[in-house]
């Protein structure tokens, strides 16, 4: 992920399946927030399923029935929850990376502008020193 300036506007450049993708920082953030929301919904649904399966496990355990398949089902749900949580973490990372790219670019623009102003402010002194150092 990198920031590119196109026609004076910042765009985030990424590659998706060997294809260059350009989006505004706001689009990238909106996409990431949507992924976070969707993953959150998936996590919530999975947790509810996990509770139902856990009740089945408790019932089977009390009845002295085999719990092997139920435990495998709970393990599968746990893996899906971890995958969804990883999606949330990656989306938060994308948002943070976009903010970092934009902030870095803004700092560079400010630094360049400050450097140009400082050089312009010091130019009369530099000229004076050059003119008077030849004497």
């Amino acid at each position: 992920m990198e920031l590119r300036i196109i026609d004076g506007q910042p765009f985030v450049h990424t590659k998706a399946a060997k294809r260059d993708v350009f989006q505004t920082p706001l689009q990238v953030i909106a996409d990431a927030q949507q992924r976070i929301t969707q993953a959150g919904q998936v996590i919530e649904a999975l947790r509810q399923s996990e509770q139902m399966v856990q009740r089945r496990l408790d019932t089977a355990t009390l009845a002295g029935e085999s719990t092997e398949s139920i435990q495998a089902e709970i393990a599968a749900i746990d893996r899906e929850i971890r995958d969804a949580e990883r999606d949330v973490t990656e989306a938060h990372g994308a948002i943070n990376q976009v903010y970092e790219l934009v902030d870095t670019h803004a700092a560079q623009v400010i630094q360049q502008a400050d450097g140009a102003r400082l050089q312009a402010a010091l130019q009369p002194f530099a000229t004076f020193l050059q003119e008077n150092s030849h004497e």
Side-chain angles (χ1 to χ4, degrees):
M1 183 182 296
E2 63 182 20
L3 192 72
R4 299 238 180 123
I5 305 303
I6 301 170
D7 294 332
Q9 299 298 315
F11 285 88
V12 176
H13 171 249
T14 56
K15 289 215 180 249
K18 297 183 181 182
R19 203 174 55 109
D20 289 325
V21 177
F22 293 90
Q23 294 178 295
T24 67
L26 291 178
Q27 288 171 322
V28 175
I29 290 169
D31 288 349
Q33 288 173 335
Q34 182 178 6
R35 288 187 354 238
I36 291 168
T37 300
Q38 290 171 343
Q41 292 168 346
V42 167
I43 290 168
E44 181 61 33
L46 288 168
R47 290 204 191 282
Q48 289 175 5
S49 294
E50 185 178 40
Q51 288 175 353
M52 290 188 311
V53 174
Q54 183 63 47
R55 278 188 279 236
R56 285 187 13 234
L57 177 66
D58 294 343
T59 302
T61 301
L62 290 173
E65 298 172 358
S66 174
T67 60
E68 192 174 313
S69 65
I70 298 172
Q71 289 176 346
E73 194 175 340
I74 287 175
I77 291 171
D78 285 342
R79 281 191 300 275
E80 289 182 52
I81 289 171
R82 282 193 305 274
D83 289 345
E85 288 172 340
R86 186 175 50 249
D87 291 345
V88 169
T89 300
E90 288 173 1
H92 279 294
I95 290 170
N96 290 338
Q97 192 173 4
V98 167
Y99 284 138
E100 185 178 319
L101 289 169
V102 170
D103 289 348
T104 299
H105 172 71
Q108 289 171 344
V109 168
I110 291 169
Q111 189 177 29
Q112 289 170 352
D114 286 350
R117 280 194 297 269
L118 183 60
Q119 186 176 5
L122 294 177
Q123 187 58 47
F125 299 110
T127 303
F128 174 79
L129 290 173
Q130 284 177 344
E131 291 172 355
N132 291 315
S133 65
H134 295 288
E135 295 175 10

